[in-house]
Amino acid sequence: MSMIIIGLSLGMLLFLLASGLTLIFGMLGVINFAHGALYMLGAYVAFDISRRTGSFTLGLVVATLVTAATGFAMERLALRPLYARPHFYQLILTFGFILVITEAVKFTWGLGYKETPMPDALAGTIVLFGSTIPVYRLFVIIFGAVVSIALFLALERSTFGMKVRAASSDAEMVQILGLRAASIRNAVFGLGAGLAGLAGAIAAPLFPIELGMATTVIIDCFIVVILGGLGNIRGVVAAAILIGMVRAVGYTFAPSWVDVLTFSLLIATLMTRPQGLFSRPVRSA
Amino acid sequence: MSARRFDLAIAVLIGATVIALPFATQNDFFLNLALLVMIWSIFALGFDLVFGSIGMVSFGHASFLGMGGYIVAIFTQRYGWSFEASTMAAMAAASLLAWIFSFFALRVSGIFFSLVTLALSQLLYILADSKLRELTGGADGIAGVTRPQLFGVDFFTTQAFYWYVVVLFTIVVACVAMLRASPFGRVMQGVAQNEIRTEQLGYDVHGIKQITFLVSGGISGLASALLASLLMFVNPQMLHWTTSGDVIIMTLLGGAGTLWGPVGGVILFELLKEWLSGQTQYWYGVLGVVFILATIYFPKGFLGEARRLATRAQRRKP
């Protein structure tokens, strides 16, 4: 039972992490290499705020806002002039942002590992179906589920989502209809970046926080997003849970081969179904 | 000034600097910097065959650098091979690895190509870092890589090793220049500009990409052998995907797809790094800002931009 809970909570964390990346790719066609750096930034901000004020919730909110603002700035100042150019310029540009964000974090918080205290209300364990489960793991699962439903509703059922989807499929037409495609793009990038920060803040009490997160976590992100199908939110949910489960089972039975296993899964998927395991052909990017 | 004369002028400038440097200074610091520049230039030239000439963004070139480095370290350390034989083995191994990479990565295109190369190289990083510890020394790497000894001459001192690298650097630049000017080089440009059209003209685009990857891997293998010898050790950081990012930064800063662009980019990168790291410990971030601004405002790189200006000035003349 505890293996399932760990797998699910890992999966939900991965989902939170990857949802922003897939959102940005699906709507803007941009692969944001700096997504991992934004995640790291979110974790550091959450750590700092919750240590200063003692409120984990406030840390969560501020982390999301700070990374969203960073995302807005990135899109407005750097990415916007690049949309007309070949795709790889955007990919490479966001690589530059990893360096900048990492150094900014180093400048602010220094090099050492940071530990974020578990919020009091979510500390401790409960007994569920006869096994002991940390409350925080359950919180991560529920939080991830809520965010995935909210994201789904926002994109598929709200007017904002309709505009976003319209802007991604035909920006010119949207412009003619009097909507500002540029602002929509900006909002989407900000939202995606905010999700990265939120994921970082949620992950903060679970793992030690350090600078290397930016470059390691982005690989996990890519694995989930590619397995799910780039730009496909539903696929990302499925892929995240799959990877979370594979990891949890792997840690139990063959801990030193978990990374190699996930990478092999990724490469096999990319070669046989680059559109992703859970993607229908129509939505493939 | 025509583009060809511009390239020639840069060649003379760089050649003169390279030859004059050991006579102008006895200071090993500058020679080491120049060595680093030449070796990374070889790597960047090899990388740019894939990136600039054919237009594929490989995020896996760190693998070829690391692969060659480890081959040289292991063969010279454990099996007592000479540096030259190990270098040959490193080039062969890096070419083979590149060929294997291309077998996987060329099945997809565009961004997916970048991601497959990234995933493959990261897999190799994990293997070297934790799985094959007995072979690779894990995170500590392997120390004590030797310097070349050719025809009974010991190239151990920085001065001597400098000339060894100068010769190889010259050969690589000449080979890349000839390759780019050859009919094959023209077809590479064709692939970069319009893949489908090139295919329809009857060229085997997939084969061309594969050969380019193989050559690029081999050149990277040479660079890696020299780098391992210069630093006298190898570690997994050479294989990490951020190393691939570094070579992309260098190439783009100088100008991708031109002969001297990658070299100029390496010079700028190393000089900026040297200067900035003396100014602030956050030099990598400042370099990131420079890189971002360059990507937005000078997509052709500073040498590419200079070349364009020089060529345009000529066209205006009646």
Side-chain angles (χ1 to χ4, degrees), chain B residues 8 11 15 24 38 50 67 106 119 145 155 182 214 234 274 284 288-289 294:
Chain B
L8 202 64
M38 281 189 286
V50 171
M67 181 77 177
L106 285 179
V145 180
F155 291 93
S182 73
L214 199 123
V234 289
E274 209 46 62
Y284 215 48
V289 174

Side-chain angles (χ1 to χ4, degrees), chain B residues 83-124:
Chain B
F83 181 79
E84 281 69 32
S86 315
T87 304
M88 297 286 181
M91 289 177 71
S95 305
L96 182 67
L97 186 69
W99 187 79
I100 296 170
F101 268 39
S102 73
F103 173 75
F104 286 100
L106 285 179
R107 298 176 63 132
V108 289
S109 59
I111 286 169
F112 290 100
F113 174 83
S114 305
L115 295 181
V116 177
T117 50
L118 174 62
L120 287 169
S121 78
Q122 204 57 10
L123 185 61
L124 222 64

Side-chain angles (χ1 to χ4, degrees), chain A residues 25 29 31 33 77-78 81-82 85 87-89 91-93 95-100 103 106-107 215 218-219 222 226 230 256-257 259-260 263 266-267 270-271 274 285, chain B residues 51 57 59 103-104 107-108 111-112 114-116 118-120 122-123 126-127 131 240-242 245-246 248-249 252 281-285 288-289 291-292 295-297 299:
Chain A
F25 181 83
I31 291 263
F33 251 124
L77 299 174
L82 257 61
R85 292 212 215 130
H87 264 68
F88 68 79
Y89 277 107
L91 186 86
I92 293 167
L93 181 87
F95 178 76
F97 274 101
I98 297 180
L99 312 183
V100 176
E103 293 294 304
K106 190 165 113 189
F107 180 75
T215 47
I218 189 71
I219 307 284
F222 281 147
I226 289 166
L230 267 168
S256 65
W257 289 96
D259 285 334
V260 177
F263 269 100
L266 170 70
I267 293 161
L270 273 167
M271 287 185 53
Chain B
F51 178 55
V57 186
F59 254 99
F103 173 75
F104 286 100
R107 298 176 63 132
V108 289
I111 286 169
F112 290 100
S114 305
L115 295 181
V116 177
L118 174 62
L120 287 169
Q122 204 57 10
L123 185 61
I126 291 170
L127 287 176
K131 290 287 156 310
H240 197 260
W241 71 270
T242 45
D246 279 347
I248 293 179
I249 294 185
L252 210 65
Q281 57 165 315
Y282 307 104
W283 62 270
Y284 215 48
V289 174
F291 173 66
I292 288 170
T295 313
I296 299 172
Y297 298 108

Side-chain angles (χ1 to χ4, degrees), chain A residues 50-131:
Chain A
S50 56
R51 193 194 50 179
R52 276 172 210 266
T53 64
S55 162
F56 179 69
T57 321
L58 192 63
L60 216 63
V61 173
V62 176
T64 313
L65 292 178
V66 167
T67 48
T70 314
F72 281 131
M74 270 173 72
E75 200 277 343
R76 180 71 191 81
L77 299 174
L79 275 165
R80 195 170 288 182
L82 257 61
Y83 286 124
R85 292 212 215 130
H87 264 68
F88 68 79
Y89 277 107
Q90 300 155 14
L91 186 86
I92 293 167
L93 181 87
T94 55
F95 178 76
F97 274 101
I98 297 180
L99 312 183
V100 176
I101 294 171
T102 306
E103 293 294 304
V105 167
K106 190 165 113 189
F107 180 75
T108 318
W109 288 286
L111 274 171
Y113 283 79
K114 303 279 183 282
E115 298 277 354
T116 313
M118 194 65 82
D120 289 337
L122 301 170
T125 56
I126 54 162
V127 177
L128 204 69
F129 304 114
S131 48

Side-chain angles (χ1 to χ4, degrees), chain B residues 283-308:
Chain B
W283 62 270
Y284 215 48
V286 182
L287 194 69
V289 174
V290 171
F291 173 66
I292 288 170
L293 293 176
T295 313
I296 299 172
Y297 298 108
F298 298 104
K300 287 181 192 306
F302 83 95
L303 266 183
E305 203 67 28
R307 193 176 188 240
R308 192 180 62 85

Side-chain angles (χ1 to χ4, degrees), chain B residues 216-235:
Chain B
S216 175
I219 297 177
S220 309
L222 176 64
S224 69
L226 295 173
L227 188 62
S229 184
L230 174 70
L231 304 174
M232 293 184 146
F233 90 114
V234 289
N235 72 347

